[in-house]
Amino acid sequence: MTERETTRLVAWSRELRQVHHRLREALRVTRESLAEGTPGERATRELLLYCHGFCTALDGHHQGEDRTLFPAIAAAHPELRPVLRSLRQDHSVIAHLLGDLRAAVDRGAPPEELDHHLEGVAAIMENHFRYEERQLLSVLETLELAAEVPEVLGPI
């Protein structure tokens, strides 16, 4: 195996950590925007942009994992299928929570309600990311997957 191939293999674990970091940061920025509570149309537009951007990024990340990454892991490591099933269940729960958040943003819910939704997403998301990293990072260091990062880990 060439050094470039080795670098690409190890890069999947780094890519996953980087995507998780960017999603955590997007959530932090979204929550800070909400906490500022600046009244007016501009603040509302910014919050809509942050919330919808965050939701789209997190959804895209999970869809890429479900569609491309997890099948590749299952094929190479069938013993991880129960872990992958659990992670997919988390994706479903998070998608439901994001749907509730989007609906609250779209109807102009008060900041306290939006923060409640964001807090729920944050708690499940962080638990999910930690579990996923504990279970999959070492596998990702040796996973052979010929695909582009956005296809595998989402557009963020």
Side-chain angles (χ1 to χ4, degrees):
M1 183 174 303
T2 69
E3 181 180 336
R4 180 168 155 49
E5 289 170 327
T6 302
T7 301
R8 182 62 232 158
L9 291 174
V10 173
W12 284 116
S13 63
R14 264 183 288 163
E15 291 290 346
L16 181 67
R17 277 182 270 180
Q18 288 174 355
V19 167
H20 285 178
H21 173 75
R22 288 192 300 264
L23 287 166
R24 286 175 175 118
E25 183 64 14
L27 180 60
R28 184 191 63 75
V29 168
T30 302
R31 292 190 81 185
E32 283 179 3
S33 173
L34 180 62
E36 288 174 6
T38 308
E41 189 176 313
R42 183 174 157 261
T44 302
R45 277 196 314 267
E46 286 179 11
L47 180 60
L48 285 169
L49 176 66
Y50 287 132
C51 284
H52 284 298
F54 169 73
C55 291
T56 300
L58 188 56
D59 270 346
H61 170 63
H62 289 159
Q63 289 173 18
E65 287 181 333
D66 289 346
R67 181 181 51 250
T68 307
L69 182 62
F70 291 175
I73 292 171
H77 298 276
E79 73 280 5
L80 289 175
R81 286 187 177 148
V83 169
L84 299 172
R85 188 172 26 261
S86 176
L87 290 169
R88 282 189 186 102
Q89 289 171 343
D90 285 354
H91 290 174
S92 179
V93 169
I94 291 169
H96 178 75
L97 294 173
L98 291 176
D100 289 349
L101 171 61
R102 282 186 183 111
V105 169
D106 289 344
R107 68 177 159 71
E112 301 79 26
E113 182 181 339
L114 294 175
D115 190 55
H116 177 75
H117 286 288
L118 288 168
E119 188 171 331
V121 169
I124 300 295
M125 183 184 84
E126 190 58 40
N127 186 56
H128 171 78
F129 285 175
R130 286 181 182 160
Y131 178 70
E132 185 172 62
E133 290 171 4
R134 275 193 321 271
Q135 297 296 318
L136 300 184
L137 284 182
S138 62
V139 168
L140 291 177
E141 290 178 1
T142 61
L143 184 69
E144 294 187 39
L145 180 59
E148 296 297 318
V149 172
E151 176 188 345
V152 177
L153 298 176
I156 191 165

